[in-house]
């Protein structure tokens, strides 16, 4: 069975750990990441420079291509 849950994604070098490089790479690889998500059912991003809720929001917006829902 090729479906391993979740698919682990880690930076290959120090530059990829930086938040801006990570966000740019996610935007550039959105189709490949979406395909990996469908194949594996989940993606686990480990070791990237997400240090705050604001960083995480930027990642989610970039990955999904949508704004987040406001529950307030």
């Amino acid at each position: 069975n090729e479906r391993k849950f979740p698919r682990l994604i880690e930076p290959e070098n120090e530059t990829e750990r930086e938040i801006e490089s990570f966000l740019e790479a996610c935007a550039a690889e959105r189709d490949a990441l979406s395909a990996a998500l469908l194949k594996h059912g989940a993606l686990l991003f480990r070791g990237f420079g997400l240090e705050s809720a604001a960083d995480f929001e930027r990642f989610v917006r970039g990955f999904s291509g949508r704004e987040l829902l406001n529950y307030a």
Side-chain angles (χ1 to χ4, degrees):
N1 185 2
E2 291 183 31
R3 185 177 175 132
K4 294 181 181 178
F5 180 83
R7 164 84 194 286
L8 177 61
I9 300 172
E10 297 177 290
E12 294 181 6
N13 57 56
E14 285 302 312
T15 300
E16 289 183 358
R17 290 181 189 278
E18 297 170 6
I19 183 71
E20 294 304 324
S21 294
F22 173 62
L23 295 174
E24 289 172 14
C26 286
E29 298 295 328
R30 184 182 301 153
D31 291 341
L33 291 171
S34 294
L37 178 58
L38 289 174
K39 179 178 179 179
H40 297 277
L43 302 177
L44 174 59
F45 293 89
R46 182 179 289 158
F48 295 95
L50 300 174
E51 297 179 357
S52 67
D55 288 346
F56 183 71
E57 285 183 27
R58 288 176 62 202
F59 161 70
V60 172
R61 270 193 241 106
F63 181 76
S64 70
R66 301 180 188 147
E67 289 297 317
L68 300 178
L69 297 176
N70 184 353
Y71 292 100

